[in-house]
Amino acid sequence: MSDLKLGDKAPDFDAETSEGNINFYDYLGDSWGIFFSHPADYTPVCTTELGTVANYKAEFEKRNVKVIALSVDGMESHRGWIKDINETQNTTVNFPIIADEDRKVSDLYGMIHPKADDTLTVRSVFVIAPDKSIKMTLTYPASTGRNFDELLRVIDSLQLTAYNKVATPANWKHGEDVVISPSVSNEEADKMFPKGYKEIRPYLRMTPEPELKK
């Protein structure tokens, strides 16, 4: 099983998907990516998840994020399942789903956990930056659906902190105050954060969310 960690390069691969054959890096291009796996086609929780992702397309595009899904079932199964997703979730699946019958990609990303199931993927999530480094991983049990509002929140935080010397506190949401990095001196903070900041402790300084810099 793969042992990918934060900061590692996301492995590249070629795969057959519901939108044709793709190269993973080419598909992502200069975008951020969310790559997530599903235990199997025609399962109830997965159906709601994929419908939710399709309905969030505008939110992902606003953040320059491309999504791609995977299950170990084949393409014929995917096509029938997508029809079900569209009908039951009142949506149109608008992103590729990888058919990983040989488990090549699943093994590459460590998406199969033998203690959970020897053959099916768990609910893995990888958030990947434009430089193809892994910025976040999550693993859910098969019985628990993912919270895609939380994934959007994480993307907002990752993008903000990638381009500004700040961190986001507990339960932070876009638009709320952020934490100034301890590596920034007060003299530097005076110049870097024109909206000002509040020093609660020398190591804990809060400032209004800065403009996203790139």
Side-chain angles (χ1 to χ4, degrees):
M1 188 174 75
S2 174
D3 189 27
L4 293 172
K5 296 181 174 63
L6 298 185
D8 286 351
K9 212 77 167 176
D12 194 14
F13 57 83
D14 297 306
E16 181 185 14
T17 83
S18 56
E19 296 188 357
N21 294 329
I22 67 158
N23 171 266
F24 186 48
Y25 278 15
D26 288 345
Y27 171 72
L28 292 179
D30 294 327
S31 299
W32 289 72
I34 293 180
F35 180 30
F36 57 109
S37 57
H38 299 270
D41 293 358
Y42 296 105
T43 51
V45 175
C46 300
T47 299
T48 64
E49 288 186 323
L50 290 175
T52 297
V53 172
N55 287 329
Y56 277 37
K57 182 178 177 63
E59 292 300 321
F60 289 122
E61 288 181 342
K62 188 190 304 181
R63 294 163 173 82
N64 189 32
V65 175
K66 290 184 177 179
V67 296
I68 183 167
L70 172 150
S71 97
V72 294
D73 291 314
M75 193 51 58
E76 185 175 348
S77 175
H78 280 6
R79 292 191 183 102
W81 186 33
I82 287 170
K83 186 173 182 291
D84 273 7
I85 295 166
N86 292 340
E87 290 178 356
T88 63
Q89 306 303 304
N90 192 29
T91 192
T92 299
V93 172
N94 43 34
F95 54 89
I97 304 174
I98 295 169
D100 193 37
E101 289 184 282
D102 61 4
R103 308 196 317 183
K104 174 185 170 184
V105 180
S106 302
D107 287 337
L108 192 62
Y109 277 79
M111 292 172 162
I112 293 175
H113 291 205
K115 289 184 179 179
D117 193 293
D118 287 335
T119 58
L120 301 181
T121 52
V122 291
R123 296 186 196 284
S124 297
V125 184
F126 293 86
V127 176
I128 299 167
D131 67 358
K132 308 303 182 290
S133 63
I134 295 171
K135 294 299 184 183
M136 190 204 71
T137 64
L138 283 173
T139 302
Y140 287 70
S143 58
T144 303
R146 283 161 281 211
N147 185 326
F148 289 94
D149 286 324
E150 168 63 6
L151 287 178
L152 288 173
R153 189 189 77 89
V154 168
I155 289 286
D156 285 341
S157 174
L158 287 170
Q159 293 183 346
L160 180 68
T161 58
Y163 307 117
N164 296 273
K165 291 187 177 182
V166 297
T168 55
N171 296 332
W172 174 87
K173 294 179 182 177
H174 175 60
E176 297 179 347
D177 288 357
V178 298
V179 176
I180 297 174
S181 172
S183 66
V184 176
S185 69
N186 284 349
E187 291 75 17
E188 291 172 322
D190 291 337
K191 298 174 183 176
M192 294 173 63
F193 303 103
K195 296 178 182 178
Y197 60 90
K198 179 180 180 181
E199 185 175 300
I200 300 169
R201 291 288 188 275
Y203 63 86
L204 179 57
R205 295 164 297 171
M206 306 296 296
T207 187
E209 180 182 322
E211 297 297 323
L212 184 62
K213 296 178 182 177
K214 295 186 179 181

